[in-house]
Amino acid sequence: LLGFLWKQDGLSQIEISEKSEVDRTTIGGLVDRLENCGLVERRRHPDDRRAYLVHLTEAGRALEAELTPVALRAREKFTAALEPGDYEKLCEMLKKLRG
């Protein structure tokens, strides 16, 4: 969820759900937990009084510099046994499975 907001801050929970392909209820729970940790905040949507947009707080923004290298190292470790070009093939196959 943080990764989506680092790319585009101020998404609605519905947009996050659609982008992540995670159901809205799960996203709502994740937003609740991140909000309780002070990493995101909900703000009223300017065009839809019923909706809220999820925004990063300063603490949430600051985590990007810390967590991005960790995620990249994890991906490198996970894909270390793959031959050149296999990672791209794997990503293509996983996209097909998503539908």
Side-chain angles (χ1 to χ4, degrees):
L1 193 146
L2 290 173
F4 289 108
L5 293 174
W6 291 331
K7 290 180 182 176
Q8 183 181 353
D9 199 14
L11 295 171
S12 70
Q13 287 181 203
I14 293 171
E15 290 171 318
I16 296 168
S17 175
E18 290 170 353
K19 288 177 182 286
S20 66
E21 297 184 11
V22 174
D23 67 89
R24 292 181 195 180
T25 302
T26 301
I27 292 297
L30 290 171
V31 171
D32 288 343
R33 287 191 287 274
L34 291 174
E35 192 170 37
N36 289 336
C37 291
L39 301 175
V40 301
E41 62 185 7
R42 289 177 173 102
R43 298 182 197 158
R44 286 229 180 256
H45 192 296
D47 300 324
D48 184 351
R49 291 178 29 160
R50 300 165 297 162
Y52 288 87
L53 300 178
V54 181
H55 288 269
L56 292 163
T57 62
E58 287 301 318
R61 246 182 238 101
L63 275 181
E64 182 177 12
E66 182 179 342
L67 294 181
T68 298
V70 173
L72 291 174
R73 283 194 304 274
R75 183 174 76 186
E76 288 171 6
K77 185 175 180 178
F78 177 74
T79 61
L82 297 178
E83 298 293 325
D86 284 351
Y87 176 74
E88 291 77 15
K89 291 177 190 174
L90 174 62
C91 290
E92 288 175 27
M93 288 187 285
L94 291 172
K95 285 179 185 175
K96 286 181 183 179
L97 288 174
R98 284 196 320 211

